[in-house]
Amino acid sequence: MFFHELKTIIENNHYIEKSKTLFWKAMKNYQEEEKDEFNKKFKGYDEKELKININDVAFLAHNWPEGDRCCVVINIDISYGKKLVGYYDVHYNINGDVEDDYFVIY
C-alpha cells in the first residue's frame, strides 16, 4: 500500500524529528526578530506552556495534473496555555531536503 511506503519514507528520513527541530528554531527566531509581536501574542511567555503536536502528514502533488513535482508536508499545531495559537508546516522534497516552511501565529 502507498500509505506504508509513505510512512517508511517519513521514518527513514526522520521528517518528524527534523520538523520539530526546525519548529523550535523558527520559534526562537520569531521571539528574537519580532519581539513586540511575540510579546503581544505570548504575554508572560513560559516555554512550558507551549506545546506542539504533529497534526497532519501529507503527500502533496504540485500543479496537478500537469506538474510532476511533489513533496511531503509535516503540519505541526502550536498550542499555548491549552489554546491553539498557530501552526508550522515543513515541505520536504522527495530527496528529503526542505523546500519551504510556514510559521503562522493567529
Side-chain angles (χ1 to χ4, degrees):
M1 293 287 303
F2 179 72
F3 174 81
H4 296 293
E5 291 173 24
L6 182 58
K7 186 175 179 187
T8 299
I9 291 168
I10 291 163
E11 290 173 351
N12 288 348
N13 288 292
H14 309 285
Y15 288 154
I16 303 298
E17 296 83 5
K18 287 178 185 178
S19 298
K20 288 178 180 179
T21 298
L22 290 169
F23 163 78
W24 288 110
K25 287 180 183 178
M27 185 66 177
K28 185 161 183 65
N29 286 341
Y30 176 55
Q31 186 177 10
E32 292 173 356
E33 295 173 9
E34 302 293 336
K35 289 180 184 181
D36 292 340
E37 181 180 319
F38 179 87
N39 290 327
K40 285 180 187 174
K41 301 282 185 176
F42 296 93
K43 291 182 172 93
Y45 179 66
D46 180 359
E47 190 173 304
K48 294 175 193 164
E49 291 293 315
L50 187 70
K51 306 291 183 213
I52 60 173
N53 180 52
I54 302 300
N55 187 47
D56 292 309
V57 175
F59 180 77
L60 181 64
H62 294 279
N63 302 319
W64 182 266
E66 292 83 23
D68 63 352
R69 205 176 100 233
C70 50
C71 67
V72 174
V73 180
I74 306 297
N75 169 254
I76 299 174
D77 278 344
I78 307 166
S79 297
Y80 187 70
K82 299 182 182 180
K83 180 180 175 188
L84 184 65
V85 296
Y87 68 89
Y88 180 67
D89 283 356
V90 184
H91 292 226
Y92 295 93
N93 65 25
I94 297 305
N95 296 324
D97 300 320
V98 175
E99 272 192 3
D100 212 343
D101 68 336
Y102 304 90
F103 182 84
V104 177
I105 300 296
Y106 306 128

